[in-house]
Amino acid sequence: MADETLALTSAPAQSSDRRKPVRVPVWDRFVRLFHWSLAATIVVATATGFFAAAPRIDIHIWVGAAALGLVVARVIWGFLGPTHARFSDFATDRRTIFAHLSQIAAGKAERHRGHNPLGGAMVLALLGLIVAVAVTGVVVLGGVFKSGPLAFATSFTTGWNVRVIHELFSVALVVLIALHVAGVVFESWRTHENLARAMVDGRKEARPKDHASGMKGARPVTAIAIAGSLLAALGSLAWVSSARLPLGVPTAALDPTYAEECGDCHNAYHPTLLPRASWSALTAGLDDHFGENASLGPETTQRIASYLMANAAEAFDTKPANFFRQIDPLKSFTITATPFWTQTHRNIPTAVFDRTAVGVRGNCEACHTDAAQGRFYPGAIDIPSEATP
């Protein structure tokens, strides 16, 4: 009788256990921190890369660098982390991946407590693509914007061409992330388990027919030592390389005679903003300079003309120098009439140019804090906010 009573009282508990399987640790703290941190950096990088205004470029660069650092740390953890963090637990060959797909289609796929073969392939693809986006971004930064660790060795043409690849990789990354999210939703439905929740608390249900994984212990001290050393070395190298003079960027100050004579009436524009033909036409016609007589003495005119010809757009490799070589033939020395100026300022309201601190469309220094150096880095744009009284 006592045995029957014991059996009856214990039965509900066993039934409850079947209804609520034990949730066991699967994702360690680093994997979870990495996952959500990487998601945040990608969201910010995508927003600032595709939608934000040019001055936000520095945010884009720093979150991109953070994403690359996270991936480096994750790769190291993929060899030294606990069981389900290791690549050996989910990195499989193509045959295994297609077999898993076939099993899913047939409704017979095993449940993996960690990443299944398809999910593992997605993880590797995402990590690799993030590295590709970051590397091409550094090339674009160096060639187009003459900044960063590769600025000393990257031409504008190289950076401009790689820009297309960088954008394609970025779009591909967004597509992969969308597929990843869809896969998580599908797998959560298929296995009747909230996988997003598992990446928050690190636990998943332990089920009898789970795919078996060989248990491996983590080596956090070694991982931290390697990751810290590698990231410090990469950071130091990037810092030292970034300090080198960028390729094709003017370094000398404006010629004092040119700055004085031309600056008396308007901005002394950096010589890289017009090609030699335009500067030649301008200095040859100073007696009718935008409707005024701006003639100078022969020696002064010759000195200014020689300086402008030596430092015109053809002499340097900045983005403005490359694009300002294309001029409006009817207004050969009107910078604001060039196709490049018109294109880059098309979305700026007329009211901005009417502000007291700006005044006219050609007042470059009002918004570009590095205009006098001929750099025109997007992060150096600071549009005055005060309105005309």
Side-chain angles (χ1 to χ4, degrees), residues 166-181:
H166 178 68
E167 292 175 355
L168 288 175
F169 280 159
S170 300
V171 172
L173 180 60
V174 172
V175 172
L176 273 189
I177 291 173
L179 291 174
H180 169 65
V181 173

Side-chain angles (χ1 to χ4, degrees), residues 132-176:
V133 171
V135 171
T136 54
V138 173
V139 176
V140 174
L141 180 65
V144 176
F145 302 111
K146 299 301 178 182
S147 183
L150 295 181
F152 75 96
T154 310
S155 69
F156 172 81
T157 299
T158 298
W160 191 253
N161 291 334
V162 172
R163 174 187 60 90
V164 178
I165 301 173
H166 178 68
E167 292 175 355
L168 288 175
F169 280 159
S170 300
V171 172
L173 180 60
V174 172
V175 172
L176 273 189

